[in-house]
Amino acid sequence: MSGQQLAGINLMDVKTVCLGMLTDGEASGYDMKKCFESSFGHFFPAGYGSIYPALATLARNGLVEFEQVLQDGKPDRKVYNITEKGREALMEGLANANPAHKLRSEFLATLWFAHLMTAEQIDTVIDNKLAEINEFLEMIEEFQSIECPGTGQGAQFVAGYGKHMASAFRNYIEENRKLLTKPVLADVKSAAG
Amino acid sequence: MSGQQLAGINLMDVKTVCLGMLTDGEASGYDMKKCFESSFGHFFPAGYGSIYPALATLARNGLVEFEQVLQDGKPDRKVYNITEKGREALMEGLANANPAHKLRSEFLATLWFAHLMTAEQIDTVIDNKLAEINEFLEMIEEFQSIECPGTGQGAQFVAGYGKHMASAFRNYIEENRKLLTKPVLADVKSAAG
DNA sequence: CGCAACATGTAAGCGGTTACATGATTAC
DNA sequence: GTAATCATGTAACCGCTTACATGTTGCG
């Protein structure tokens, strides 16, 4: 039970990711949100409601510092920088030897019960998901992590993961969707009877 | 804003999944937990702390009925059955044309920052994840959804998904892990200088 | 004229996780 | 004896989501 070593950071949560982003240089919460949207969000989503409170906590605990930057025409920015204490906390976060990789799929849960759905419903659900996947693949093709601290090896590895897995997902769906709408023997019999 | 049509069920949450499981016959919360553990949990995890409250809510709202079954030696069971109202609610849950499919990966978030880690740390994280994947693949091979309402087409589709994607995951990691531990040019230079 | 982009935050709510609480029987 | 299986539940907590709140500049 060593617990909360440095200000409550001991795993990969939104706070830790924000710290990590700051190792590449200063940024505002708004900047980080864009980064979550473009690259990070595909495997680790976060909205303003997570990011701003995370930054506030990090600042309270001295893991980041910020300066208020006044802009003409645009709203003020709070530009954050990571501190030495923050770097240490980040290292603790990265030290977890068993980081989770969790899927929560209402999509698969729905299709598990495909036998309770109409063929039209199933087709719609699948077509929509395929469209999503294709959109994602197009996007990942366009900007390979521009405007993010993402030129490193890790970013490449993760982007490659996204591409590889999305393709595998698409292939699986396309090759196996007929399983779901194919009438079962019992139905054929009762239709004939 | 049609909202909460039948007692608050309009998407694929734990409640809806429990309803779905009951279409295959009566079951207790304990039974359902086993089902979540064996098959469902890989893409839609749930523990007792989710399941029992879910069943209580479903019962309060008349979507399921139960009878207390006294057993000798063993604790009492509450055996649940779905009601007509429950079937309707389930259909509403299944009617969502855009069910989510969400990944939250601390694993990928960690590796994004691989350049801040030692080669040993990276290797450990990856080896552990590979072991997990292999365990999963062995398990999915052994029991293709025994002891679950899972003989249907949907269950087969989902099990196939698990196998296909886990293999793709493993392949990607094995073929690309060297990207992460390979020294970058700058490091080589500074080591030489 | 309206909408998107810029920019930061709060508050309420919701759903899931974890820990706690209980207790008999069976298998090692 | 001690751990696992059977079996159900509550309560606290934690973290993320969503909605709300505010206000300017610039573009179409």
Side-chain angles (χ1 to χ4, degrees), chain B residues 24 31-32 34-39 143-151:
Chain B
D24 208 66
D31 296 333
M32 293 185 202
K34 279 192 300 187
C35 185
F36 272 104
E37 267 169 14
S38 62
S39 333
F143 61 73
Q144 290 266 23
S145 57
I146 308 170
E147 73 195 300
C148 243
T151 41

Side-chain angles (χ1 to χ4, degrees), chain B residues 120-139:
Chain B
E120 286 72 30
Q121 278 183 312
I122 297 169
D123 280 333
T124 305
V125 166
I126 289 181
D127 288 338
N128 289 347
K129 192 56 67 186
L130 279 175
E132 262 180 50
I133 297 171
N134 286 328
E135 236 176 274
F136 172 73
L137 279 168
E138 276 170 41
M139 189 186 53

Side-chain angles (χ1 to χ4, degrees), chain A residues 28-30 52 71 74-78 80 104:
Chain A
S28 67
Y30 194 82
Y52 285 123
Q71 301 185 120
K74 295 179 199 170
D76 302 351
R77 284 162 60 85
K78 274 188 183 172
Y80 290 87
R104 178 167 207 94

Side-chain angles (χ1 to χ4, degrees), chain A residues 106-121:
Chain A
E106 296 171 23
F107 171 73
L108 294 173
T110 299
L111 292 185
W112 183 281
F113 302 112
H115 57 288
L116 302 174
M117 299 165 70
T118 65
E120 285 73 28
Q121 278 183 312

Side-chain angles (χ1 to χ4, degrees), chain A residues 14 20 34 38 41 53 84-85 111 114 122 138 151 154 168 171 176 180 193:
Chain A
V14 175
K34 278 192 300 186
S38 63
E84 199 46 49
K85 199 175 161 191
L111 292 185
I122 297 169
E138 277 170 41
T151 42
N171 291 342
N176 294 281
L180 295 172

Side-chain angles (χ1 to χ4, degrees), chain B residues 30 52 71 74-78:
Chain B
Y30 193 82
Y52 285 123
Q71 301 184 120
K74 293 180 199 167
D76 303 351
R77 283 163 59 86
K78 275 189 183 172

